[in-house]
Structures are given as structure tokens and as C-alpha cells.
Amino acid sequence: MDEAELRSLTPSVLAVLVRRGADFAAAEDAVQDALVEAVRVGPADPSPSSSSRGYPRRDAKGWLITVAWRKFLDATRADTARRRREDLVEREPAPGPAPGVDDTLQLYFLCAHPSLTPSSAVALTLRAVGGLTTRQIARAYLVPEATMAQRISRAKRTVSGVRFDQPGDVATVLRVLYLVFNEGYSGDVDLAAEAIRLTRQLAAAVDHPEVAGLLALMLLHHARRATRTAPDGSLVPLAEQDRGRWDTEAIAEGVELLQAALARDRLGEFQAQAAIAALHADAPTAGETDWAQIVEWYDELARLTDSPVVRLNRAVAVGEADGPRAGLAALAALDASLPRHAAVAAYLHERDGDLATAARLYAEAAGKAPSLAERDHLTRQAARLNTRRR
């Protein structure tokens, strides 16, 4: 097994320790120590003559549980609570195959507990469920390792008193995973790929159409990743992307997951978002996009979420389906202070032939852009229109 495969065992190993009575924070530390030990010793040589002390490939989970439990006990022995320490030592089980019970789903719920802030829930999920180190998470979020360590420690203290058998909220878990996915790639960890891996793991643990919907959405968006930026790092709009470079296998899997989820007739926002992404992926060219159907899905999404951001995106779709003036009419009903409102208005005004207004709005949107790449893109759009007007 490689390091990624070992990390995939993290939630089930941690769940076993917590179910045995270990404090969450101490158990999580012990599991991390066990993972480090597994990477250090490597897999055992299966030949009869070998004296290798590595972990057995056929039961790496059982080995991790045994090592993590012993490391937890070692830490517990240094604690002042003698009575609890002795009770835990007496209950130490003999080494053997891992138990069949899998509490992975409960662990997801615990890490996305409502008492945690979104940033803390994301960090704890990546650490406890994803098996990433504090250093990897800190690098991914571009913060000092000490800052991330404090964030994770506070999160562990917050959930340490939560009963492990309390029911959790799937919707909260999905939002945490979606936050991870939207971070994309930074540092030495590909968070988009990590989010897909964790969502696959969740889908294996719970039969829920919105989990399948989120996984489909991630795959459909991730399929276009290689074409979103030019070699110089500049943004490439969807209409200008090279569709021949899209990942067709990821698209096919996403569409299959979405169709199965929609067939259950329990529509949720992630399924609706995935349906919109699927319509974009299905179009051979930008000009063949079924914008009328996309508007219908945005109507469903607005009904489900009542989100002004959804309505902003809907205005773009209306502009494509019914013309720029219809899009501007839809946009007029929205608050102009919404993020990217000026960028949408600029695009629709350009489509309507009002280049002066569009150039001004592109420049205004550039000043409010949340990222350097987006600011540069909008600045170039304004410059392009100003050149055309001369």
C-alpha cells in the first residue's frame, strides 16, 4: 500500500479507538503516530523466512488499530488519571483482524459538527478523515503551520465531549467537502482531488442522492480543470476552452452518478448544480449549449436555495437563452453589491452592443475581483473593448 492508501484507512481506525472509549483528541494523535510508523517501517515481507516487522498488506487496518491503540495507551500512562489508565490497559484487546463495524460515517458527522466554524470543520476533516498532516493542511491553505495546529487543536477540544452515537447532518458534511473542493490546488496537496476521494469514501458509507450529486458535480467540474487556465496562468472562459482536452471518463462517471441520483426523485441543490454542469459537458461546442434547459435547472436551484448568487448565474443563462436584454432585466432585480454583479452586467452589456458601458463595468469588476487571475482577466476585457471603440 502506498501512503495515500494508508491514509484512506484513517477514519475507520480512528473510529475504532473512539468507540473503545478513547478521547477524540488523544485518539487522533495516536492514529497520526501510527500512520507515521507505517510509512517508516513499510509493508512486511510475506515470505515465510522473512523477519520483517512491517505492517501486513492483507490487514493493514488491523495493524494500524493495534499500533494506534498502544500509542494511545502509552500516552495515557503518562496522565494523572490512574484509575482510568488502569481500566484502559485491562481492556486492551489482543492483536487480530480488524472488526467489521465501520464508523466512518459518524466520524464525518463529528468533524462537521455544527459547533465548529466552517474553516475548523474543513481542517479537522482533512486531518481526521483525510489523514493529512498539519503541515500539509497548512501549506494547502497558505497559513503558518502553528496557526493550523492551533485551529485543529481547538476543533478537537470542541468535539471531544460530543457523543459518538449522536445522529449527524449529511448536508453539513457535504458543505464541508464542497468547501474543500473549491480550494482547488495549492501547496503540495491537491485539495480538489482530496475532496473527490473523501466524497467517494462518504458515498460508500451512506446511500444518499445528494452525496452522489456532490460527487457527480465534483467530477464534472474537475473534468474541465486542465483547460481552465492558459500556459501563462491566465483564465480561459468556458466558451473558449478546448473541449477535446476535457476528461471524458470523469464526465461519463459524473453523468452516470447524476442520472442514478435524479431517478430517486429526491432533488437537492448539489444534484441541480451537477445537472447544469452536465449540460455544459454534453455540448460539443459552446454554441450548442442547451441554455433553455440550463435556465430551467437554475429555476429549480433558486427554489431550493433562494440564493442571490444562484439568481446572478441564472441571469447569465437567461441572457444566453433569450438574449442579453432579457438577461439584463433579470439582473436588474438583484442587489448590485453582489460579488461579480458588475462582471455579469459587463458581459451582458457587451452582448447587447453597449461597449462603453461594458468596458466601464469590466474595469469596475476588476477592482473588486477576489483573485489576481480574475482581476487580470477582467482588466484585459476592459482594455479589449476600449481598443475596439477607438
Side-chain angles (χ1 to χ4, degrees):
M1 301 179 74
D2 59 22
E3 185 175 348
E5 290 176 307
L6 284 170
R7 285 198 290 108
S8 70
L9 299 174
T10 300
S12 55
V13 174
L14 177 55
V16 170
L17 266 65
V18 173
R19 183 155 34 82
R20 286 181 181 176
D23 172 80
F24 179 87
E28 202 277 330
D29 288 338
V31 173
Q32 287 288 326
D33 288 342
L35 284 171
V36 171
E37 182 71 8
V39 172
R40 186 184 69 80
V41 301
D45 186 342
S47 62
S49 60
S50 173
S51 59
S52 171
R53 294 187 178 183
Y55 61 85
R57 292 179 183 272
R58 292 185 177 181
D59 190 27
K61 177 181 174 182
W63 186 92
L64 284 171
I65 290 171
T66 299
V67 174
W69 183 250
R70 287 176 177 171
K71 288 184 178 294
F72 167 71
L73 292 177
D74 288 343
T76 303
R77 290 187 180 99
D79 192 76
T80 57
R82 176 181 293 272
R83 185 182 300 275
R84 175 166 173 75
R85 178 175 70 241
E86 292 175 351
D87 289 343
L88 288 169
V89 172
E90 290 175 1
R91 294 207 304 269
E92 178 179 1
V101 178
D102 188 354
D103 291 320
T104 300
L105 181 58
Q106 291 296 333
L107 195 61
Y108 272 92
F109 291 148
L110 191 64
C111 292
H113 196 267
S115 61
L116 296 173
T117 64
S119 61
S120 294
V122 165
L124 190 58
T125 298
L126 288 172
R127 166 92 178 194
V129 183
L132 299 182
T133 66
T134 302
R135 176 173 295 181
Q136 287 174 314
I137 301 169
R139 286 179 176 174
Y141 282 90
L142 305 178
V143 300
E145 185 176 352
T147 300
M148 185 56 69
Q150 290 176 349
R151 184 181 300 173
I152 293 173
S153 293
R154 286 195 299 268
K156 289 195 290 186
R157 286 197 300 271
T158 298
V159 301
S160 285
V162 177
R163 289 179 58 196
F164 200 62
D165 58 352
Q166 290 179 337
D169 180 13
V170 172
T172 303
V173 174
L174 295 181
R175 292 191 187 285
V176 169
L177 292 173
Y178 194 45
L179 285 173
V180 175
F181 180 78
N182 283 334
E183 289 295 328
Y185 177 83
S186 57
D188 59 352
V189 178
D190 186 340
L191 288 178
E194 187 68 14
I196 291 173
R197 183 181 74 83
L198 294 178
T199 306
R200 284 191 190 280
Q201 188 169 280
L202 179 62
V206 59
D207 181 20
H208 194 292
E210 271 293 80
V211 177
L214 178 58
L215 181 55
L217 176 63
M218 289 178 175
L219 289 168
L220 289 164
H221 279 307
H222 205 56
R224 306 198 301 260
R225 173 174 171 172
T227 64
R228 287 200 183 101
T229 55
D232 63 359
S234 60
L235 294 180
V236 180
L238 176 61
E240 300 173 19
Q241 291 174 12
D242 181 359
R243 298 177 181 230
R245 294 175 57 208
W246 287 358
D247 185 341
T248 54
E249 289 186 7
I251 291 172
E253 183 184 0
V255 169
E256 183 178 356
L257 284 166
L258 174 63
Q259 289 174 340
L262 292 175
R264 300 178 64 175
D265 199 24
R266 290 169 54 194
L267 183 63
E269 61 177 292
F270 290 119
Q271 294 169 71
Q273 288 188 56
I276 294 169
L279 286 167
H280 283 298
D282 187 55
T285 66
E288 296 173 84
T289 303
D290 189 346
W291 286 106
Q293 195 171 354
I294 287 177
V295 171
E296 292 179 4
W297 276 111
Y298 270 121
D299 289 338
E300 288 287 350
L301 190 55
R303 179 182 61 80
L304 289 166
T305 66
D306 194 29
S307 166
V309 175
V310 169
R311 297 186 185 281
L312 184 70
N313 292 329
R314 178 185 178 277
V316 176
V318 170
E320 299 288 355
D322 302 325
R325 295 197 177 180
L328 287 168
L331 188 65
L334 302 176
D335 187 345
S337 66
L338 278 173
R340 297 188 172 89
H341 186 284
V344 171
Y347 174 74
L348 292 172
H349 276 292
E350 180 184 357
R351 289 277 316 282
D352 195 38
D354 187 351
L355 302 189
T357 300
R360 175 179 58 80
L361 288 169
Y362 275 130
E364 178 186 329
K368 301 175 181 177
S371 69
L372 180 61
E374 189 171 337
R375 186 195 70 186
D376 290 346
H377 172 73
L378 293 168
T379 300
R380 284 194 294 269
Q381 296 295 85
R384 174 179 57 82
L385 294 186
N386 284 326
T387 301
R388 285 178 57 186
R389 291 170 54 221
R390 290 173 184 169

